[in-house]
Amino acid sequence: MESWQIIVLLGALAIVGGVMIPRRSGQDNQSQTVRNMETALEQFMENMEADNRDLANLVTKAQQETSQQSLSRDNRIKELEQRCLELENSLADQAKLLLAAASDS
């Protein structure tokens, strides 16, 4: 091999090496960017899961409170119905006494 061929071959190797090196660093930057995106997405997913758990707990708590309020209202309605029945019976007894007193007179 002649000396000019060696120089051309070394130049070609230098050019190919020069072209390949930026690609590698670009790939490193790209892989770092991908890793950063993966990390960001993982954190986002963890935050969403935590928010979802909190929301589920709030819904469960609201359902329990609603159920308790419903039971309380049902009990109050039963008490009022019982009281109304007692008053109706008392009123009926008073009406009978008044009719009896009126008929005796």
Side-chain angles (χ1 to χ4, degrees):
M1 241 162 95
E2 293 185 28
S3 61
W4 70 269
Q5 290 175 338
I6 294 174
I7 292 173
V8 169
L9 187 61
L10 286 175
L13 286 174
I15 291 172
V16 169
V19 169
M20 294 299 285
I21 289 175
R23 287 186 183 169
R24 287 183 189 156
S25 66
Q27 289 175 351
D28 289 341
N29 288 339
Q30 208 172 22
S31 65
Q32 180 65 31
T33 302
V34 169
R35 278 186 252 135
N36 289 342
M37 287 294 289
E38 287 175 351
T39 303
L41 286 173
E42 286 175 4
Q43 289 175 347
F44 176 74
M45 288 173 52
E46 288 173 4
N47 289 340
M48 290 299 291
E49 287 174 1
D51 291 344
N52 191 25
R53 281 191 300 270
D54 292 343
L55 185 59
N57 289 338
L58 284 174
V59 168
T60 302
K61 185 178 177 181
Q63 287 175 338
Q64 290 173 348
E65 289 176 359
T66 302
S67 177
Q68 289 174 351
Q69 288 175 352
S70 178
L71 286 173
S72 175
R73 288 179 183 140
D74 287 345
N75 289 336
R76 181 69 177 146
I77 288 171
K78 286 179 185 177
E79 289 174 8
L80 290 172
E81 287 174 345
Q82 182 64 34
R83 180 71 177 140
C84 185
L85 183 61
E86 290 172 2
L87 289 173
E88 286 174 356
N89 290 338
S90 175
L91 185 60
D93 291 341
Q94 291 295 326
K96 286 179 187 177
L97 288 175
L98 284 174
L99 284 175
S103 64
D104 288 341
S105 306

